Amino acid sequence: MGEIGEFVDYFRDRFTKLSDMLRNRNVSFRPIESMSRRTTGLAEGREEVSLIGMVSDIQTSKNGHRMIEIEDTTGTFRTMVLKKNKDLFDQAMKVMLDEVVGLTGTLSDDGNLLFINNIMWPEIPVRNSIELGEPGSTGLAVLISDIHIGSDTFLEHEWLKFLDWLNGGTNNENIGSVNVGDIKYLIVAGDLVDGIGIYPDQERELAILDVYDQYCKAAEYFNQVPEHIKVIISPGNHDVVRQAEPQPALPDKIKKMFRTDVVFVGNPAVVSMDGVHTLIYHGRSIDDLIGALPGMKYEDPAKPMIEMLKRRHLSPIYGSKVSIAPERTDHLVINKIPDILHCGHVHTVGCTNYRGVRIVNSGTWQSQTEFQRRMNLQPIPARAAVVNLGSRDTKIISFQ
Ligand code: D5M
Ligand code: FE
Ligand code: ZN
């Protein structure tokens, strides 16, 4: 738990970064403080007013209107989206607590309420191919996640098939049109091992009971990856680092088990694969996004990932399932627009493109657990996403 001052710094940093992105629009936003100096709404002749704020409260009124309270560094303001504005109301249902939005509307007669007619998110700007730049990079990157080594549902047979494929093994019909010799990178987006004490009674579902033995096994596997492939490992909520995000890279004690050329990064992490700017995030907030937003489901994990990009934040809701360590700077803000956003965590596969960003959720190497069976969560296991670093075309290869 952080001190109050740390929370203030954390939220101020989040607000500053995200409001700066909104200020790049052709809209003149006013500080909330200035709203108390204006006369009533009527006197302003129903002129449009635009505000930027962090969402501090959301309610549905008795009549079914959406009430959104926002806050900037100068004050708070109440706003409302009327139920009858169907499209706008649907958008208002996507506004979440703690995110930063821009709102345009007209004031109520008493000047204390803004009737919204436009909602803006920080967003990824629509870019044309010139702005996106020539894809100059070559080679392939393989994206995987949620291997869960040590779990009794870890799919070792399929995993060994994958390792064999990376090594150019030929007894494998999955090779398709992928030339494995072109693979330059292998990224793991968290949950390398199953860990211990992550959920109640986990011991009953473990094949390897000691977490260091789990990592030893992981090292044994990864040391079999051909040396021309750069391995990059980022942790998840099952790994042996603090749960609160951002998570640091795995500790030295574990790094030492692996080949020295393996790169260990934190969660989230930004890496450049031959100039291809890649944002790796385990994806714990996807649980929250699916819970909070209409139309989201576990079967389609690319959709909540689009919502991260729209909000330019990897975990917009503070203090839901994701625990966030309040640091001076909000490391979960998506400052620079990535070329690739790679997540895992939900154990299902998703692949799409959003405004020039390649989105991949790389599934899992674990079959359905007891918990997931009870939750009716159907994993898509033993998949690897192969991204062409030039065209960003992506193939999902099955080793099942
Ligand atoms: O998470 C895999 C998926 O299963 C992810 O969507 C969360 C969900 N999950 C798994 N265990 C739990 C518990 N105990 N509570 C709530 N949700 C859960 P993973 O990080 O691999 O466990
Ligand atoms: Fe997982
Ligand atoms: Zn996870």
Side-chain angles (χ1 to χ4, degrees):
M1 240 329 154
E3 302 287 322
I4 282 293
E6 289 174 326
F7 283 94
V8 173
D9 286 348
Y10 173 81
F11 278 116
R12 182 158 297 164
D13 185 64
R14 177 190 283 217
F15 180 75
T16 306
K17 285 175 173 153
L18 296 175
S19 60
D20 281 352
M21 293 178 199
L22 281 158
R23 261 181 256 282
N24 283 333
R25 311 290 174 85
N26 248 342
V27 176
S28 75
F29 293 102
R30 299 169 50 155
I32 288 176
E33 187 183 44
S34 74
M35 301 300 283
S36 57
R37 291 199 298 269
R38 46 105 200 83
T39 45
T40 67
L42 271 183
E44 295 208 348
R46 299 275 182 220
E47 241 185 89
E48 290 207 320
V49 173
S50 296
L51 303 172
I52 293 180
M54 185 176 281
V55 178
S56 48
D57 190 46
I58 305 173
Q59 307 272 340
T60 303
S61 78
K62 269 194 275 76
N63 302 322
H65 308 306
R66 200 73 169 161
M67 315 283 296
I68 300 169
E69 186 189 73
I70 56 168
E71 187 175 355
D72 71 6
T73 49
T74 70
T76 62
F77 209 77
R78 288 190 307 127
T79 75
M80 183 155 147
V81 179
L82 299 174
K83 194 171 64 177
K84 64 174 187 207
N85 303 340
K86 187 79 185 71
D87 288 351
L88 193 67
F89 191 81
D90 286 348
Q91 283 199 36
M93 291 304 288
K94 296 182 109 188
V95 172
M96 302 188 306
L97 276 180
D98 309 322
E99 69 167 325
V100 178
V101 287
L103 302 172
T104 299
T106 51
L107 287 171
S108 61
D109 288 351
D110 67 4
N112 289 326
L113 180 66
L114 187 72
F115 292 105
I116 301 175
N117 52 42
N118 190 31
I119 304 173
M120 284 159 276
W121 277 276
E123 268 293 2
I124 305 286
V126 181
R127 296 163 294 166
N128 60 35
S129 51
I130 296 163
E131 289 165 312
L132 282 168
E134 283 290 310
S137 313
T138 57
L140 303 173
V142 176
L143 313 183
I144 58 171
S145 56
D146 300 84
I147 315 174
H148 291 268
I149 294 160
S151 161
D152 65 7
T153 42
F154 164 56
L155 296 168
E156 188 180 31
H157 174 73
E158 288 79 354
W159 175 253
L160 292 174
K161 247 163 101 173
F162 170 67
L163 286 182
D164 179 60
W165 173 76
L166 285 179
N167 280 288
T170 46
N171 52 354
N172 200 322
E173 67 285 7
N174 297 302
I175 296 168
S177 52
V178 177
N179 183 359
V180 291
D182 291 340
I183 298 171
K184 289 184 179 169
Y185 296 92
L186 171 61
I187 298 191
V188 183
D191 288 357
L192 177 62
V193 300
D194 207 53
I196 48 160
I198 309 292
Y199 58 87
D201 297 325
Q202 189 185 9
E203 312 82 72
R204 288 189 212 154
E205 298 181 47
L206 288 178
I208 304 174
L209 283 160
D210 181 282
V211 73
Y212 291 96
D213 293 342
Q214 294 177 5
Y215 282 105
C216 246
K217 192 73 193 164
E220 191 187 311
Y221 290 138
F222 277 89
N223 292 345
Q224 290 169 43
V225 173
E227 296 206 5
H228 70 270
I229 298 176
K230 184 107 219 139
V231 176
I232 300 167
I233 297 176
S234 171
N237 53 305
H238 281 255
D239 287 291
V240 70
V241 286
R242 75 167 186 201
Q243 290 273 317
E245 298 177 6
Q247 294 180 289
L250 288 167
D252 285 340
K253 191 173 169 187
I254 284 160
K255 286 180 192 163
K256 274 193 234 135
M257 301 173 178
F258 290 76
R259 232 165 54 198
T260 53
D261 59 328
V262 174
V263 175
F264 291 88
V265 296
N267 169 42
V270 170
V271 298
S272 166
M273 295 194 282
D274 284 9
V276 179
H277 183 74
T278 305
L279 177 55
I280 309 166
Y281 174 57
H282 180 57
R284 201 154 190 205
S285 69
I286 298 174
D287 291 325
D288 289 337
L289 290 165
I290 290 175
L293 295 172
M296 302 284 143
K297 49 187 195 317
Y298 278 98
E299 291 83 346
D300 189 4
K303 257 196 176 160
M305 290 172 69
I306 293 177
E307 300 301 324
M308 296 174 186
L309 292 172
K310 266 176 86 91
R311 290 167 172 78
R312 297 291 288 274
H313 201 282
L314 295 169
S315 184
I317 310 170
Y318 187 88
S320 202
K321 279 211 186 101
V322 184
S323 89
I324 297 177
E327 300 187 4
R328 273 269 160 71
T329 53
D330 185 345
H331 297 282
L332 298 162
V333 170
I334 305 174
N335 276 320
K336 187 169 182 252
I337 299 171
D339 297 313
I340 300 174
L341 172 62
H342 175 202
C343 295
H345 182 61
V346 287
H347 294 203
T348 51
V349 173
C351 179
T352 192
N353 184 43
Y354 182 68
R355 300 192 171 179
V357 183
R358 167 56 59 193
I359 290 177
V360 175
N361 194 303
S362 49
T364 181
W365 294 83
Q366 181 181 39
S367 62
Q368 194 179 47
T369 63
E370 190 48 35
F371 173 82
Q372 290 160 357
R373 195 182 57 75
R374 272 185 273 128
M375 289 280 136
N376 202 18
L377 206 146
Q378 196 62 52
I380 314 248
R383 300 296 198 279
V386 181
V387 186
N388 182 312
L389 293 173
S391 65
R392 318 276 156 78
D393 287 346
T394 304
K395 286 192 183 118
I396 306 291
I397 303 190
S398 170
F399 292 87
Q400 243 184 337

